[in-house]
Amino acid sequence: MNLAAAANETLAHYSNVLVYSAMAVYTLAFIAHMAEWVFGSRSKVGRTSAALTTAGGAAAAAPVRTAAAAAGGTGTAVLERPKVVTRSVAGGPDVPDGPGAHGGTEKGDLYGRIAISLTVLAWALHVGGIVTRAVSVQRAPWGNMYEFSTTLGGAAVTAYLVLLLLKKNVRWLGLPLATTVLLDLGLAVSVLYTASDQLVPALHSYWLWIHVSCAILSGAVLYLGAVASVLFLFRDRHEAKLAAPDGKQPGAFATSVLTRLPSAASLDKFAYRVNATVFPLWTFTIIAGAIWAEAAWGRYWGWDPKEVWSFITWVAYACYLHARATVGWKGRKAAWLGVIAFVCYLFNYFIVNIFVTGLHSYAGV
């Protein structure tokens, strides 16, 4: 073995160490996020601050304190109650965004901040593992399912952190994101792992950097939209129960969790904006794939399973955006369309890549 090969093997080993280290820190971030939700659930304010308010929502903008604190005592300190930001339905009551996973308590907020700090550290280790893998193979670090999966998880965390840097209220994404990334990396290192190797000749192209990087970034952002759509379905049902004339109230657990999320209308708006923003990039991904296919195989389109399901995913998201823009679909119908579209993306990624025979395959998987 020459020195170059030995150096590349050493770098590949360090890449694995960094990925496993990132998983360990993501686990700590997951625990911190869980603590944020647990301590937030202990606050009565956290359980009730997102209840339906009277028209105008003036009370929703007022600071909220515990009875002891209001009397000058030493009760549990809480943060300010959020303002009403939207209406769930035209002519309906104002619905404020929930205070967040911390439930309005300073202790819950502290654990949330710790979770974010741990997520940043895990992200740095994660990205270090990806970059080290790229250096070890001297190419783009997404030539097989293992590399694609680790990069996709890193891109999802990157998108989340960018939204936080932009001062967007997305800390509620922290727990589902940490859970998903841990599952993604666990699957990558246990089932999808492939040793460092060079690509098949058809993949030796600069289009690997363009096409696959766009696919990864698109999937990462579409994931955020899918999480918002799923949470919307739960939050919307919760709001409907609160507003039901029969007076039947949701259970204590559902109330504790769901009232801390953004309002259903805010989740719906977030999902739509995220999907609409990244849809042009997903469109370019398919076009770039077709151009690469012509360069590699002499045709732009060959009805390969991967090509077909990429197009099906594009159509699903196009239907979602078209329904929102022209038909005026909002709420549950649009959310279900968004969820179905992302399921198509997942089917294309896992099932087609691993179990369906075609020209699009990853080395060793």
Side-chain angles (χ1 to χ4, degrees):
M1 180 182 295
N2 57 40
L3 291 178
N8 291 339
E9 185 175 337
T10 301
L11 286 171
H13 171 72
Y14 284 137
S15 173
N16 295 339
V17 171
L18 287 170
V19 170
Y20 277 104
S21 300
M23 292 177 63
V25 182
Y26 278 129
T27 302
L28 295 177
F30 169 81
I31 294 172
H33 276 300
M34 287 295 296
E36 178 186 17
W37 281 93
V38 169
F39 282 103
S41 68
R42 295 181 179 180
S43 167
K44 185 176 180 180
V45 174
R47 294 197 301 271
T48 60
S49 63
L52 296 178
T53 63
T54 56
V64 179
R65 297 178 296 171
T66 62
T74 57
T76 303
V78 297
L79 305 179
E80 287 191 356
R81 192 172 181 173
K83 296 180 179 180
V84 172
V85 295
T86 186
R87 292 177 182 270
S88 57
V89 292
D94 289 321
V95 181
D97 283 348
H102 52 73
T105 66
E106 288 184 346
K107 193 167 187 179
D109 184 62
L110 173 62
Y111 279 103
R113 294 178 183 275
I114 292 173
I116 296 299
S117 299
L118 289 170
T119 300
V120 172
L121 175 58
W123 170 83
L125 293 169
H126 193 164
V127 172
I130 295 170
V131 172
T132 308
R133 176 81 171 200
V135 175
S136 71
V137 294
Q138 300 179 9
R139 56 169 172 78
W142 42 73
N144 50 61
M145 284 287 287
Y146 166 76
E147 296 173 355
F148 193 102
S149 294
T150 53
T151 308
L152 180 63
V157 178
T158 301
Y160 170 65
L161 295 178
V162 167
L163 290 174
L164 288 177
L165 286 175
L166 295 175
K167 307 299 183 182
K168 303 299 182 181
N169 179 26
V170 294
R171 267 177 54 177
W172 47 271
L173 276 169
L175 181 58
L177 178 66
T179 305
T180 305
V181 172
L182 276 173
L183 291 173
D184 173 62
L185 292 180
L187 181 65
V189 300
S190 61
V191 178
L192 303 177
Y193 181 77
T194 304
S196 299
D197 201 357
Q198 293 305 310
L199 301 175
V200 296
L203 297 181
H204 284 286
S205 171
Y206 59 88
W207 283 105
L208 175 67
W209 290 91
I210 301 173
H211 170 66
V212 184
S213 63
C214 290
I216 290 172
L217 182 57
S218 297
V221 178
L222 291 174
Y223 160 79
L224 300 182
V227 171
S229 293
V230 171
L231 293 178
F232 163 83
L233 293 171
F234 288 101
R235 171 77 191 207
D236 181 66
R237 184 175 295 277
H238 178 76
E239 290 181 8
K241 287 182 179 180
L242 289 175
D246 57 11
K248 186 177 181 181
Q249 296 298 303
F253 177 77
T255 299
S256 173
V257 173
L258 296 176
T259 54
R260 285 180 275 163
L261 292 173
S263 67
S266 293
L267 289 169
D268 185 45
K269 184 185 297 184
F270 176 82
Y272 173 66
R273 288 179 174 177
V274 165
N275 291 329
T277 299
V278 80
F279 182 73
L281 184 63
W282 179 246
T283 302
F284 175 75
T285 299
I286 296 177
I287 295 173
I291 296 173
W292 188 10
E294 195 280 332
W297 300 310
R299 87 291 186 281
Y300 291 100
W301 190 265
W303 297 104
D304 183 75
K306 184 75 172 178
E307 297 169 348
V308 171
W309 274 98
S310 295
F311 180 69
I312 290 174
T313 304
W314 183 90
V315 170
Y317 275 106
C319 290
Y320 167 82
L321 296 175
H322 177 75
R324 288 291 304 254
T326 60
V327 183
W329 276 18
K330 293 183 180 180
R332 300 189 69 83
K333 291 181 179 179
W336 278 114
L337 268 178
V339 171
I340 291 171
F342 189 69
V343 168
C344 291
Y345 179 91
L346 291 179
F347 183 89
N348 186 26
Y349 174 54
F350 286 106
I351 305 301
V352 175
N353 276 350
I354 298 175
F355 299 106
V356 180
T357 303
L359 291 174
H360 293 77
S361 61
Y362 290 91
V365 180

